[in-house]
């Protein structure tokens, strides 16, 4: 067999080995895969209006974050991870100066109301987006996702996935503590 033929036969193996090496490096590099870069960080929050889930609380628009730090949480009753994070939202509802704003995503209104009746309502305002088109301006593509919006209406952080003790003890929680003047306790403290 000629040398050029042997090289041609070895090329797929060489390519596979190179790809395997790249994947191995990515898997072991320690990067947090839950951090999704957002082009909206450090830009004004979208001005999209969301109709109210019920008459008891207002819908959501720019006024929702006009006078304080807001945690904007995208949730749905059919979302399992939303149930996991809900106790953390209930705890955060007690933080002075922090408003929790809910965006109900691709959900039925009766189901969303039943979800909150069962687990409690941490939200100061809740807007609905039954077809998922309004949240596109927020760069949302699933649930749960949570944003921190500062007093000036600027998005300062985004977390994809459920809020957990680890998330609130990490960079996302640090940013929230910084903006609320330390009003958010680190879990376990």
């Amino acid at each position: 067999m000629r040398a050029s033929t042997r090289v041609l036969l070895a090329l797929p193996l060489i390519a596979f080995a190179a790809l395997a090496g790249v994947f191995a490096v990515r898997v072991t590099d320690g990067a947090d895969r839950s951090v999704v870069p957002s082009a909206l960080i450090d830009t004004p929050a979208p001005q999209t209006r969301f109709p109210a889930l019920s008459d008891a609380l207002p819908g959501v628009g720019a006024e929702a974050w006009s006078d304080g730090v807001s945690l904007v949480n995208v949730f749905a009753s059919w979302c399992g991870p939303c149930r996991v994070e809900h106790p953390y939202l209930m705890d955060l509802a007690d933080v002075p100066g922090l408003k929790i704003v809910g965006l109900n995503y691709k959900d039925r209104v009766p189901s969303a109301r039943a979800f909150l009746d069962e687990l409690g309502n941490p939200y100061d305002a809740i807007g609905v987006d039954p077809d998922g088109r309004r949240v596109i301006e927020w760069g949302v593509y699933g649930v749960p996702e949570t944003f921190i919006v500062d007093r000036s209406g600027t998005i300062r952080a985004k977390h994809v996935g459920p809020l957990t003790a680890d998330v609130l003890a990490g960079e996302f929680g640090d940013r929230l503590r910084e903006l609320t003047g330390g009003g958010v306790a680190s879990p376990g403290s």
Side-chain angles (χ1 to χ4, degrees):
M1 191 182 288
R2 293 186 340 199
S4 61
T5 304
R6 280 189 290 235
V7 170
L8 283 176
L9 290 174
L11 277 178
L13 183 58
I14 293 167
F16 175 77
L19 281 174
V22 168
F23 289 136
V25 167
R26 291 288 295 168
V27 168
T28 60
D29 68 0
D32 184 355
R33 302 289 183 242
S34 68
V35 176
V36 176
S38 175
L40 297 177
I41 303 299
D42 296 328
T43 66
Q47 300 297 306
T48 313
R49 289 217 48 80
F50 295 84
L53 177 69
S54 71
D55 293 336
L57 291 173
V60 176
E63 71 282 351
W65 41 84
S66 62
D67 62 345
V69 176
S70 298
L71 196 66
V72 180
N73 177 253
V74 183
F75 76 100
S77 64
W78 48 262
C79 163
C82 295
R83 285 183 174 273
V84 170
E85 78 175 356
H86 204 80
Y88 296 100
L89 293 171
M90 294 297 291
D91 288 344
L92 290 168
D94 295 331
V95 173
L98 178 65
K99 291 188 295 185
I100 302 182
V101 176
L103 300 179
N104 184 244
Y105 177 74
K106 291 187 176 182
D107 208 350
R108 292 180 22 247
V109 167
S111 299
R113 288 180 181 161
F115 176 85
L116 295 173
D117 287 345
E118 176 188 347
L119 300 176
N121 184 357
Y123 302 107
D124 296 297
I126 304 172
V128 295
D129 189 5
D131 58 10
R133 292 189 179 164
R134 287 182 172 99
V135 297
I136 289 172
E137 290 188 39
W138 283 83
V140 170
Y141 54 87
V143 288
E145 290 189 26
T146 307
F147 300 83
I148 300 172
V149 179
D150 72 10
R151 291 170 181 16
S152 70
T154 301
I155 296 173
R156 295 300 178 188
K158 175 182 181 179
H159 176 73
V160 175
L163 296 177
T164 63
D166 288 343
V167 170
L168 293 173
E171 286 182 38
F172 189 84
D174 290 344
R175 186 61 148 172
L176 195 54
R177 279 184 286 284
E178 171 192 324
L179 293 170
T180 60
V184 177
S186 294
S189 61

